[in-house]
């Protein structure tokens, strides 16, 4: 009977910016290299593993082995720790599976506890970006342990508020925005709508999240779902923040909305003024301004 260890699998959360860093590292690789690798930074809290950053590490291949520039890796890790001491080395990444992948992972077990291996395929096979997170587990044949193998574990995306706004904007732009083409190149009707649409989408998303939280808390109180201490602490952190009265929130929201509308109005007015000035100049310039 062949089986793997039944130890508790980690819950992996990946920041999308880490994937962008890996892709940037792959695009900047040397001409004679067909893959890149580097170290993963983040933190581990029990079974929860958060991948928040990465370090591109130079390497060289020699037949079926790979030589990693450890001095560079240690230097960059120390620099990162000065910026954020919470982020520690928790694993490594690569852009393809090689013969030396297992040996490389065994090396990172010496510098990180239960390291995570993130495999990113930048070739876009099947029209999508294939990403896997792997952990090492012992393979058992009967009662004997044959050796460790890399086993895939699921992961979830986790973004901070600032990065989420940028990613949402990128995804919305990738869907295409044709209003400007329909109205003509000089029309800016398509410039005012994305801000309002983004605000509307944000409010809908906030309402959906609040509904999910309410449903989860109700199920926990009724005993339908087992409570999660991590979620409980996060909800407590949100509730413990200073509350805002509905009247104050409405006033702040309306003031921010008015400011946004005023900026949009002034930008339109400025564009119209520049357009009129350009047309007037192009009309009177051949004959001059004098009699």
């Amino acid at each position: 009977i062949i089986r793997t260890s039944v130890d508790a699998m980690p819950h992996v959360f990946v920041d999308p910016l880490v994937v962008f860093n890996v892709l940037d590292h792959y695009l900047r690789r040397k001409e004679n290299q067909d893959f890149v690798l580097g170290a993963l930074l983040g933190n581990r809290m029990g079974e929860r593993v958060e991948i928040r950053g990465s370090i591109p590490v130079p390497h060289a291949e020699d037949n079926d082995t790979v030589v990693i520039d450890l001095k560079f890796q240690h230097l960059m890790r120390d620099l990162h720790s000065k910026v954020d001491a919470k982020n520690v080395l928790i694993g490594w990444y690569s852009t393809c599976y090689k013969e030396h992948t297992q040996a490389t992972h065994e090396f990172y077990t010496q510098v990180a506890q239960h390291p995570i291996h993130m495999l990113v395929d930048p070739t876009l096979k099947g029209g999508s970006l294939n990403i896997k997170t792997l952990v090492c587990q012992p393979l058992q044949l009967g009662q004997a342990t044959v050796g460790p193998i890399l086993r895939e574990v699921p992961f979830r995306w986790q973004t901070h508020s600032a990065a989420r706004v940028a990613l949402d904007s990128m995804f919305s732009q990738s869907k295409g925005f044709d209003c400007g083409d329909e109205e003509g190149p000089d029309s800016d009707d398509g410039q005012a709508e994305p801000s309002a649409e983004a605000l509307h989408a944000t409010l809908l998303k906030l309402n959906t999240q609040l509904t999910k939280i309410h449903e989860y808390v109700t199920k926990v109180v009724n005993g339908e779902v087992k409570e999660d201490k991590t979620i409980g602490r996060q909800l407590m952190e949100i509730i413990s923040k200073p509350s805002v009265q509905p009247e104050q929130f409405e006033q702040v929201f309306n003031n921010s909305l008015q400011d946004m509308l005023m900026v949009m109005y002034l930008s339109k007015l400025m564009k119209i003024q520049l357009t009129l000035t350009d047309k007037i100049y192009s009309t009177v310039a051949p004959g001059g301004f004098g009699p």
Side-chain angles (χ1 to χ4, degrees), residues 215-228 231:
E215 293 176 353
Y216 173 77
V217 173
T218 302
K219 291 181 179 179
V220 171
V221 173
N222 295 335
E224 301 177 7
V225 177
K226 184 178 180 180
E227 69 278 3
D228 190 323
I231 298 178

Side-chain angles (χ1 to χ4, degrees), residues 32-35 59-67 98-100:
N32 59 345
Q33 290 183 337
D34 59 352
F35 85 105
H59 75 280
E61 286 188 271
D62 184 12
N63 295 330
D64 295 336
T65 61
V66 60
V67 180
K98 291 272 189 174
E99 295 81 0
H100 48 69

Side-chain angles (χ1 to χ4, degrees), residues 18-260:
V18 176
V19 179
F20 286 122
N21 292 336
V22 175
L23 295 177
D24 180 72
H25 184 197
Y26 180 77
L27 292 175
R28 298 174 184 270
R29 71 189 186 281
K30 297 180 180 179
E31 295 183 357
N32 59 345
Q33 290 183 337
D34 59 352
F35 85 105
V36 294
L37 60 83
L40 295 176
L41 301 177
N43 57 59
R44 183 187 297 269
M45 297 174 290
E47 297 179 1
R48 181 185 179 91
V49 180
E50 297 180 357
I51 302 176
R52 295 182 174 181
S54 62
I55 300 175
V57 180
H59 75 280
E61 286 188 271
D62 184 12
N63 295 330
D64 295 336
T65 61
V66 60
V67 180
I68 302 175
D69 191 343
L70 296 180
K71 184 177 181 180
F72 178 85
Q73 177 175 292
H74 295 333
L75 176 61
M76 295 301 298
R77 184 187 61 183
D78 294 340
L79 292 176
H80 277 275
S81 63
K82 293 180 180 179
V83 177
D84 190 351
K86 296 181 180 179
N87 285 345
V88 298
L89 198 151
I90 58 173
W92 66 292
Y93 69 83
S94 65
T95 54
C96 70
Y97 194 92
K98 291 272 189 174
E99 295 81 0
H100 48 69
T101 296
Q102 186 69 48
T104 305
H105 191 84
E106 292 179 2
F107 162 76
Y108 275 95
T109 59
Q110 303 175 9
V111 295
Q113 182 181 9
H114 305 299
I116 302 293
H117 175 41
M118 186 170 69
L119 186 62
V120 181
D121 184 8
T123 59
L124 298 179
K125 293 181 179 179
S128 62
L129 184 64
N130 297 318
I131 303 173
K132 296 181 180 180
T133 51
L134 311 170
V135 296
C136 188
Q137 286 193 330
L139 176 64
Q140 293 182 342
L141 181 60
Q143 299 296 328
T145 301
V146 178
I149 62 170
L150 288 174
R151 179 180 178 184
E152 182 179 359
V153 294
F155 71 92
R156 297 178 58 185
W157 297 112
Q158 176 176 332
T159 59
H160 301 287
S161 57
R164 186 180 298 112
V165 172
L167 292 172
D168 290 342
S169 177
M170 292 173 58
F171 293 146
S172 63
Q173 294 295 331
S174 64
K175 296 178 181 178
F177 189 71
D178 300 329
C179 293
D181 296 337
E182 295 177 358
E183 296 292 336
D186 293 334
S187 174
D188 58 355
D189 293 340
Q191 300 298 328
E193 294 182 1
S195 298
E197 291 179 356
L199 178 62
H200 180 67
T202 301
L203 292 177
L204 289 178
K205 188 175 182 179
L206 176 61
N207 182 66
T208 302
Q209 292 176 345
L210 291 176
T211 302
K212 290 182 179 180
I213 292 175
H214 180 266
E215 293 176 353
Y216 173 77
V217 173
T218 302
K219 291 181 179 179
V220 171
V221 173
N222 295 335
E224 301 177 7
V225 177
K226 184 178 180 180
E227 69 278 3
D228 190 323
K229 296 182 180 179
T230 302
I231 298 178
R233 285 193 293 267
Q234 293 176 349
L235 292 177
M236 182 61 65
E237 183 180 355
I238 296 175
I239 297 175
S240 62
K241 293 182 178 179
S243 59
V244 179
Q245 298 298 325
E247 297 80 7
Q248 296 177 347
F249 176 79
E250 184 176 1
Q251 181 179 2
V252 172
F253 178 80
N254 289 332
N255 291 340
S256 301
L257 182 60
Q258 293 297 328
D259 292 341
M260 183 186 69

